[in-house]
Amino acid sequence: MTVLHLCLFATFWRAVHAIHPDCAIISQLIEEQEICIQTRKREIKNQSQQGCGTDWDGIRCWRTANTGQLIHVSCSDVFQHISNTQGFIYRNCTSNGWSDPYPPYEEACAFEDDSESGTVTNYLSTLKQLYTAGYATSLISLITAVIIFTCFRKFHCTRNYIHINLFVSFILRASAVFIKDAVLFSDETQDHCLMSTVACKTAVTFFQFCILTNYFWLLVEGLYLQTLLALTFVSQRKYFWWYILIGWGVPSIVLIVWVLTRQFCDNRGCWDDTDNMNIWWIIKGPITVSLFANIIIFLNVIRILVQKLKSPGVGGNDTGHFMRLAKSTLFLIPLFGMHYTLFAFLPENTGEIVRFYIELGLGSFQGFVVALLYCFLNGDVQAELKRRLWTWQTQTHLSPSKKRQVTVTQIMMHDSTHSQTAICNGYVTSV
């Protein structure tokens, strides 16, 4: 029943709302060209032509006119989507047929000059280079962090399992951007306004899924930190599968609803437009809810920390522990959520330049910052990597008998320190 209601909303929206401005002029020209050609065929068939017949000049359809008649059209009629200039284009119907349009369309309708177009092209090119570098950096750092947390048994615990899922969501997000660009924009001769293939729809669908999972795993990080602080003695594994359901299950359900709605209600193009806001809010709504939930969690965690730090029973060591607990995630929640909240309820075309730089430019480095906070700047991770490096260097310079002695000594030291328990009971993302 919900999908049916969305379909009705979508049908109404399409009836009153224009298509994307970038594609409106192309759609208009194709439609008018077809009408013009059919009109011309009927005139030839009926032999009803007197003077100059209907003619398509590549931009405008000129209707039948009598010999000697001067016809003019307004720029706003020809290019209603991209020009408000009140200039006119003229054509004479002569005994030899239609004259060429004068003045030229680009002069009469005051299109933007090449310098303005070049500025936009340079801006978009610079932005693409920025987010390509950002996502590539994030991919390398995130994959390295996943390998570290996976290969070293010392880091196997619930907290790091959640970190790994967050890393994977960022990896998928970066990969989805590259896949989407490769499918939609690799061929510069492709008409994107008319493009509507299974491949491009699949790429956009995968992109939306990765965006959803990324935001919901950020929410899971916030939920876990709040649980860790509010319920000190609760088992960390108790809610793990609920976190999995939130991080992967909820986005999957949202995406299924969105795909079905697009397929049956608004199956246009590659599904990469946001013209129909009723359908777009299927994606945008859950993301916005997750962001506001993270803000609430952020404020609640601060409240809990302040209470614990003011408690008379909290000693110096505990104070340092709670400060370490708060450092990374409290920095992460506003850093990776507040920027989206600024645009959450604004139209999609509001502040496009700022939005693009924040969401694509700076946002592309999110994965790198997460890996930096949760892995590379972590003292326990650095200590373990240094220990493994020292072991490797030592083993390469010792005889076989010495290697066995060093190995036995290291095993005894490892068992006596119980380092894995210490790391997993603490907040391993602390910097």
Side-chain angles (χ1 to χ4, degrees), residues 155-404:
F155 302 130
H156 288 188
C157 56
T158 302
R159 182 60 191 171
N160 288 339
Y161 294 153
I162 294 177
H163 288 341
I164 291 173
N165 280 277
L166 178 64
F167 294 167
V168 170
S169 73
F170 273 109
I171 291 172
L172 290 176
R173 179 171 183 169
S175 302
V177 171
F178 291 134
I179 293 173
K180 181 183 175 184
D181 284 354
V183 174
L184 270 66
F185 307 115
S186 59
D187 185 2
E188 295 182 357
T189 63
Q190 177 70 46
D191 187 350
H192 301 292
C193 293
L194 303 178
M195 188 179 182
S196 182
T197 63
V198 175
C200 75
K201 291 177 181 177
T202 302
V204 172
T205 300
F206 178 65
F207 174 78
Q208 299 292 2
F209 174 73
C210 296
I211 295 295
L212 283 165
T213 56
N214 190 218
Y215 279 107
F216 274 88
W217 274 107
L218 287 170
L219 174 62
V220 168
E221 287 283 356
L223 289 171
Y224 185 83
L225 176 60
Q226 180 175 251
T227 303
L228 198 65
L229 291 174
L231 306 174
T232 307
F233 300 103
V234 71
S235 173
Q236 294 187 8
R237 294 181 178 271
K238 183 177 181 181
Y239 300 106
F240 180 71
W241 291 108
W242 285 105
Y243 296 142
I244 293 292
L245 183 62
I246 294 173
W248 298 111
V250 173
S252 299
I253 295 173
V254 172
L255 192 76
I256 290 173
V257 174
W258 180 76
V259 168
L260 292 176
T261 307
R262 293 271 348 199
Q263 178 66 34
F264 295 107
C265 304
D266 192 15
N267 190 18
R268 298 177 298 140
C270 287
W271 298 356
D272 59 336
D273 63 275
T274 58
D275 299 330
N276 193 323
M277 294 304 296
N278 296 293
I279 295 179
W280 175 233
W281 268 96
I282 298 176
I283 298 289
K284 188 175 181 179
I287 290 176
T288 305
V289 171
S290 72
L291 289 170
F292 280 122
N294 255 357
I295 294 174
I296 295 173
I297 291 172
F298 171 71
L299 297 175
N300 190 44
V301 166
I302 291 178
R303 181 187 62 83
I304 295 174
L305 286 174
V306 170
Q307 290 179 349
K308 288 183 177 291
L309 293 175
K310 288 184 176 181
S311 174
V314 177
N317 292 334
D318 290 333
T319 301
H321 173 67
F322 285 125
M323 292 303 294
R324 295 177 63 209
L325 283 177
K327 198 181 276 187
S328 290
T329 301
L330 290 181
F331 177 72
L332 185 69
I333 292 175
L335 183 62
F336 301 114
M338 294 297 289
H339 73 281
Y340 189 86
T341 307
L342 296 175
F343 299 103
F345 294 101
L346 297 177
E348 293 299 316
N349 58 350
T350 301
E352 288 184 341
I353 295 178
V354 177
R355 181 195 293 266
F356 285 161
Y357 264 113
I358 291 178
E359 295 186 355
L360 283 177
L362 299 179
S364 63
F365 289 92
Q366 289 182 1
F368 169 71
V369 175
V370 168
L372 198 66
L373 290 174
Y374 280 180
C375 183
F376 303 125
L377 293 181
N378 176 263
D380 295 316
V381 173
Q382 292 176 353
E384 179 65 14
L385 291 177
K386 290 178 181 178
R387 189 182 70 84
R388 292 300 180 99
L389 179 61
W390 178 84
T391 301
W392 177 78
Q393 291 176 339
T394 304
Q395 294 284 353
T396 57
H397 293 89
L398 293 178
S399 62
S401 60
K402 292 291 185 180
K403 289 181 181 180
R404 286 193 295 270

